[in-house]
């Protein structure tokens, strides 16, 4: 047992290893040096098992059978289980004895029947839209080129991370330090800000939009339908600022190593041009 006593180890079956995967691994020098039963070395066997890989904030993660592992290296004792996700996580929560009374017992306020479920779905869609818009803003470094912002942040990553901590209202105020915004567009941003704040902070419990009443549900339907239309327009404006930032970066600093020669397609480049149609740079911003 790799120098461990049986009483010193536990085993958890995550996935069976198909014979073709084993045969492929067996042909590698790693296996010849440390044949099974021994530890696995290298990334290839996990890829053959269907694992997915990503990097988040310079941290390598591997997903295998709905289990996320943090990876320092693909070698013994360098892969650690972090968490379960998806259906595996749901099944584990259902089996947790401490949560047994809550898993299948709902009170009246937790049950959404009939047309209300569609309103709840609309709420979720609008929330995703808000997050998309704020993500476009924090990744559009052109919006933060005022002298004040440049003194505050030394690098583009500093700017991005700093703006992530700002409220949406503060981000819009910071853009106006460097840009004159078309009055109609500016009014649209302010309307979105007001509606977004209302949506995030207590919309469904407001007397007018009370989701527990039929009247309130119909008020919500009208509010969310208009918000959906308006937020799509706002998203397009800030998506244009994101594309414009990419084009500016390529023009100033060239393509990063390993990047494809064509980062933006024709439609995205056309959308980039909308930014400078509605935003005019104030003198001395760059």
């Amino acid at each position: 047992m790799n120098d461990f006593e049986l009483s010193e180890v536990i085993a958890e079956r995550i996935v069976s290893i198909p014979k073709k995967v084993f045969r492929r691994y067996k042909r590698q020098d790693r296996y010849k040096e440390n044949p099974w039963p021994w530890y696995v070395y290298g990334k290839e066997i996990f890829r053959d098992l269907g694992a997915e890989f990503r990097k988040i904030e310079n941290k390598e993660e591997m997903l295998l059978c709905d289990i996320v592992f943090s990876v320092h290296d693909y070698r013994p004792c360098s892969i650690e289980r972090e968490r379960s996700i998806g259906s595996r996580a749901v099944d584990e929560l259902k089996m947790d004895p401490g949560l047994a009374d809550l898993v299948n017992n709902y009170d009246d306020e937790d049950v959404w029947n009939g047309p209300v479920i569609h309103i709840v779905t609309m709420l979720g869609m609008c929330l995703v839209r808000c997050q998309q818009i704020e993500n476009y803003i924090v990744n559009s470094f052109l919006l933060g080129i005022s002298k004040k912002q440049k003194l505050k942040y030394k690098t583009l990553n500093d700017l991005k991370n700093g703006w992530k901590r700002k409220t949406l209202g503060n981000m819009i105020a910071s853009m106006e330090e460097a840009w004159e915004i078309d009055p109609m567009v500016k009014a649209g941003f302010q309307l979105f800000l007001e509606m977004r704040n209302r949506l995030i902070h207590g919309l469904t419990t407001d007397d007018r939009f009370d989701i527990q009443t039929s009247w309130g549900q119909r008020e919500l339907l009208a509010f969310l339908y208009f918000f959906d239309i308006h937020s799509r327009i706002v998203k397009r404006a800030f998506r244009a600022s994101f594309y414009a930032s990419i084009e500016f970066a390529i023009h100033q600093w060239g393509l990063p190593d390993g990047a494809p020669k064509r980062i933006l397609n024709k439609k995205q480049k056309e959308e980039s041009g909308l930014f400078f149609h509605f935003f005019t740079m104030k003198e001395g911003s760059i």
Side-chain angles (χ1 to χ4, degrees):
M1 201 56 121
N2 297 341
D3 295 328
F4 291 100
E5 298 295 331
L6 282 173
S7 60
E8 296 177 313
V9 297
I10 59 171
E12 178 179 350
R13 177 174 173 171
I14 296 170
V15 60
S16 297
I17 300 177
K19 289 183 179 179
K20 64 179 182 179
V21 174
F22 170 66
R23 287 196 295 267
R24 191 177 294 125
Y25 182 68
K26 193 175 180 180
R27 292 194 293 267
Q28 297 180 25
D29 291 338
R30 296 186 183 96
Y31 180 82
K32 295 171 184 176
E33 294 170 5
N34 298 295
W36 285 350
W38 196 252
Y39 295 109
V40 168
Y41 288 79
K43 191 175 185 176
E44 293 80 2
I45 190 170
F46 297 109
R47 183 182 285 114
D48 290 341
L49 288 170
E52 298 175 50
F53 310 91
R54 70 181 183 185
K55 266 193 174 179
I56 296 182
E57 297 178 354
N58 296 318
K59 179 182 178 182
E60 176 106 4
E61 289 189 337
M62 177 176 71
L63 174 64
L64 181 60
C65 294
D66 277 353
I67 300 176
V68 178
F69 300 87
S70 62
V71 181
H72 303 288
D73 193 5
Y74 291 92
R75 58 185 299 110
C77 304
S78 295
I79 302 175
E80 299 177 25
R81 176 174 177 154
E82 288 280 340
R83 60 192 177 276
S84 300
I85 63 172
S87 58
R88 193 180 192 111
V90 172
D91 290 340
E92 288 174 1
L93 287 170
K94 287 180 177 178
M95 297 298 292
D96 188 323
L99 300 177
D101 290 338
L102 298 172
V103 168
N104 297 312
N105 295 316
Y106 299 87
D107 59 42
D108 292 342
E109 291 185 344
D110 296 323
V111 179
W112 310 108
N113 295 318
V116 186
I117 193 65
H118 299 295
I119 295 174
V120 173
T121 302
M122 289 179 72
L123 274 164
M125 292 169 62
C126 290
L127 177 60
V128 170
R129 182 83 39 73
C130 291
Q131 294 176 353
Q132 289 173 328
I133 288 168
E134 294 190 25
N135 187 56
Y136 279 131
I137 294 173
V138 300
N139 284 286
S140 301
F141 68 85
L142 279 180
L143 296 174
I145 59 171
S146 69
K147 289 182 178 179
K148 183 176 179 181
Q149 297 300 307
K150 285 188 285 188
L151 286 172
K152 193 172 182 180
Y153 306 108
K154 292 183 178 180
T155 68
L156 294 182
N157 274 335
D158 290 342
L159 174 67
K160 176 181 174 179
N161 292 329
W163 278 43
K164 278 183 178 180
R165 294 189 290 270
K166 289 180 182 286
T167 64
L168 179 60
N170 286 337
M171 284 192 281
I172 292 175
S174 296
M175 316 173 187
E176 292 183 286
E177 296 168 2
W179 300 93
E180 293 286 353
I181 305 174
D182 179 278
M184 286 293 292
V185 175
K186 183 177 177 180
F189 290 166
Q190 290 300 323
L191 176 59
F192 170 75
L193 176 61
E194 292 168 12
M195 295 184 73
R196 177 261 183 205
N197 288 343
R198 196 166 195 178
L199 181 136
I200 298 297
H201 302 294
L203 178 67
T204 61
T205 55
D206 185 277
D207 289 342
R208 176 178 169 183
F209 300 101
D210 186 356
I211 198 172
Q212 301 295 340
T213 68
S214 175
W215 189 340
Q217 291 163 17
R218 284 176 282 171
E219 293 271 15
L220 267 172
L221 181 64
F223 178 96
L224 293 171
Y225 188 76
F226 178 76
F227 184 85
D228 174 58
I229 297 169
H230 185 64
S231 62
R232 276 184 273 156
I233 297 169
V234 173
K235 184 180 77 168
R236 189 180 181 196
F238 286 120
R239 188 171 61 198
S241 70
F242 173 63
Y243 293 152
S245 294
I246 293 175
E247 281 208 292
F248 183 86
I250 294 171
H251 181 265
Q252 289 293 113
W253 304 302
L255 288 167
D257 294 337
K261 292 183 178 179
R262 189 175 179 182
I263 293 181
L264 297 180
N265 60 36
K266 183 179 178 181
K267 184 179 179 181
Q268 291 168 338
K269 286 186 175 182
E270 289 174 355
E271 197 164 305
S272 167
L274 290 173
F275 175 70
F276 295 103
H277 184 70
F278 295 114
F279 287 73
T280 304
M281 191 181 299
K282 291 181 179 179
E283 189 175 346
S285 293
I286 292 184

